[in-house]
Amino acid sequence: MATKIDFYAVLEVSRTASADELKKAYRKQAMRYHPDRNPGDETAEHKFKEINEAYDVLKDEQKRAAYDRFGHAAFENGGMGGMGGGFGGFGGGGLDDIFEMFGDMMGGRRGGGRRRTGNDIQVQVEISLSEAFTGVKKPVEIRTRVTCEDCHGSGSAESNPGDTTCPTCHGAGAVRAQQGFFLVERPCPTCHGSGKVVRNPCKTCRGSGTTEQTRTLDIAIPAGVEDGTRIRVTGEGEAGGNGVQPGDLYVHVAVGSSEIFQRDGANIYCRVPLRMTQAALGTEIEVPVIDSSRAKVRIPAGTQTGENFRLRGRGFSVLRSSARGDMYIQVAVETPHHLSKRQKELLEEFETEAGEAQDQEKANPEHTGFFAKVRDFFEGK
């Protein structure tokens, strides 16, 4: 008999993993090695079977306790009722876990049966960093299916439509098909998930209850949204037809970058270049704020590149809150280019005096300290 791999190692979890951690690990591994994603790969198919066998044991408290105590021997010679219960060796409840995980991958909704809503729609909206700070309304144009105006969504040409049970799915709204050793459930192709068919279909929508149309919606984007935020607009997806509720609209927000500000959550960073003389002598500068106002910042003498100055409460807005983050002024001391003759003379005088100064360690602590370490290095100290 081939040696079996430890079930915890199969799912890549610790022996103290919780039920939720086991479930997440199982879904991740099953998605990775599912035969539909690895057609013709016998290694992946074998791995997929191992994953299901491991999860079938570890998700059951009694089986897991037996496995922790006796290992694989607990299930040999009929122990614990064997591993065969349920479809394809998945054990009791295995199909529910598989359908829950693969519903999105197959493009359907979990639970099978009659379709409860129309299809969801996903769109992307691009906004500027300033618009993300203040919040904004953005028009979104979508090409979608809407309720048929002639039959009012019933799909029938008659004012009092008479529906009959779908002959394909027998009213279930879904059909099952075998894919290799895996059973997949999909919406019925005849009734499209409604479980019923119209006897006298509407000529405009051909019995679907919906027609295609372009709509423009104003989407309210709240202040404080981050890049990648998803906004759900209930009932603005595709119409379901035949009495089915419409789906939802999902708006994915893409926040653009700024030439002045960099955002990190609720905080804003602004990099401000300073002339060498400003940093050495100290100065007062005026900086822009994300809310279009201005702020004055006192720069003390001797400021170095990389130093930050904090402006409390002047940062980014926080989603669903009146609070704001902080703003940080990041200093970058700029060395001048293309000096005039006079400027060179002045700097040369400055360098001469700086080199002769007795308190260099106080005036240039980093410079003095570094080259002292270099000297010690070469002298072998």
Side-chain angles (χ1 to χ4, degrees):
M1 181 180 293
T3 303
K4 288 190 175 183
I5 303 176
D6 180 77
F7 284 157
Y8 291 99
V10 170
L11 296 179
E12 297 182 2
V13 295
S14 68
R15 300 186 75 85
T16 58
S18 65
D20 286 340
E21 289 173 334
L22 285 170
K23 192 171 187 178
K24 289 179 181 178
Y26 164 67
R27 291 181 178 180
K28 178 181 178 181
Q29 296 295 329
M31 288 281 281
R32 179 180 178 185
Y33 293 104
H34 189 270
D36 286 349
R37 290 192 166 187
N38 304 273
D41 189 338
E42 294 184 0
T43 303
E45 183 175 341
H46 176 72
K47 184 71 174 177
F48 186 69
K49 291 179 180 178
E50 282 188 338
I51 292 165
N52 282 285
E53 183 182 8
Y55 183 61
D56 183 70
V57 172
L58 299 182
K59 74 177 181 179
D60 185 287
E61 291 185 4
Q62 292 183 346
K63 289 182 180 180
R64 182 176 180 180
Y67 178 76
D68 288 344
R69 186 174 182 182
F70 302 108
H72 293 290
F75 308 102
E76 295 174 359
N77 301 320
M80 291 295 292
M83 293 295 298
F87 168 77
F90 292 128
L95 274 179
D96 289 339
D97 296 317
I98 290 291
F99 283 136
E100 180 179 351
M101 176 179 63
F102 287 103
D104 291 336
M105 190 179 84
M106 298 299 180
R109 294 174 180 266
R110 180 176 183 259
R114 297 187 179 182
R115 184 162 55 103
R116 293 184 175 87
T117 65
N119 292 327
D120 295 332
I121 301 174
Q122 300 194 44
V123 296
Q124 180 170 299
V125 172
E126 296 183 0
I127 63 174
S128 67
L129 190 65
S130 297
E131 289 173 329
F133 170 77
T134 60
V136 66
K137 278 193 174 183
K138 283 284 186 179
V140 175
E141 187 176 277
I142 55 175
R143 183 76 177 170
T144 183
R145 302 198 69 82
V146 299
T147 302
C148 176
E149 294 181 356
D150 291 343
C151 67
H152 305 291
S154 69
S156 175
E158 302 174 5
S159 56
N160 295 312
D163 296 335
T164 58
T165 301
C166 174
T168 302
C169 65
H170 305 291
V175 293
R176 292 185 175 184
Q178 191 83 26
Q179 285 192 350
F181 63 88
F182 189 66
L183 190 64
V184 178
E185 187 174 272
R186 294 191 178 96
C188 175
T190 303
C191 65
H192 305 291
S194 67
K196 297 180 180 181
V197 291
V198 180
R199 290 183 301 189
N200 185 15
C202 170
K203 293 181 179 180
T204 302
C205 65
R206 298 180 182 180
S208 68
T210 63
T211 57
E212 197 171 70
Q213 188 180 102
T214 299
R215 294 189 298 152
T216 300
L217 300 174
D218 286 330
I219 305 299
I221 300 175
V225 295
E226 296 192 35
D227 185 56
T229 297
R230 188 178 75 164
I231 299 174
R232 177 184 178 186
V233 186
T234 305
E236 293 295 349
E238 288 194 348
N242 298 313
V244 176
Q245 295 295 318
D248 298 329
L249 172 65
Y250 289 92
V251 180
H252 296 264
V253 180
V255 181
S257 59
S258 168
E259 294 182 349
I260 298 177
F261 303 107
Q262 293 80 46
R263 179 184 180 186
D264 182 13
N267 294 328
I268 283 285
Y269 293 83
C270 180
R271 182 178 179 273
V272 179
L274 292 181
R275 293 191 301 274
M276 182 179 64
T277 50
Q278 288 179 304
L281 301 175
T283 186
E284 185 177 81
I285 60 174
E286 190 174 71
V287 295
V289 183
I290 188 66
D291 59 11
S292 298
S293 65
R294 300 180 182 185
K296 289 185 178 181
V297 180
R298 169 64 63 179
I299 306 296
T303 295
Q304 305 296 313
T305 291
E307 290 191 27
N308 291 326
F309 298 91
R310 181 181 183 184
L311 301 178
R312 294 181 180 272
R314 304 300 292 272
F316 216 78
S317 48
V318 178
L319 189 64
R320 301 185 185 91
S321 172
S322 59
R324 285 177 61 176
D326 299 330
M327 179 176 177
Y328 292 88
I329 307 302
Q330 297 178 316
V331 171
V333 181
E334 184 177 22
T335 303
H337 298 273
H338 309 295
L339 297 173
S340 68
K341 182 179 179 180
R342 178 55 179 160
Q343 287 173 329
K344 288 182 180 180
E345 291 175 352
L346 291 172
L347 286 176
E348 287 169 355
E349 290 179 17
F350 176 81
E351 176 62 20
T352 300
E353 290 191 14
E356 296 174 351
Q358 298 298 318
D359 56 350
Q360 290 188 36
E361 189 171 346
K362 291 183 178 180
N364 301 284
E366 290 191 26
H367 177 276
T368 304
F370 174 77
F371 284 101
K373 293 176 184 177
V374 171
R375 183 181 62 254
D376 292 344
F377 174 79
F378 284 115
E379 292 178 355
K381 293 183 180 180

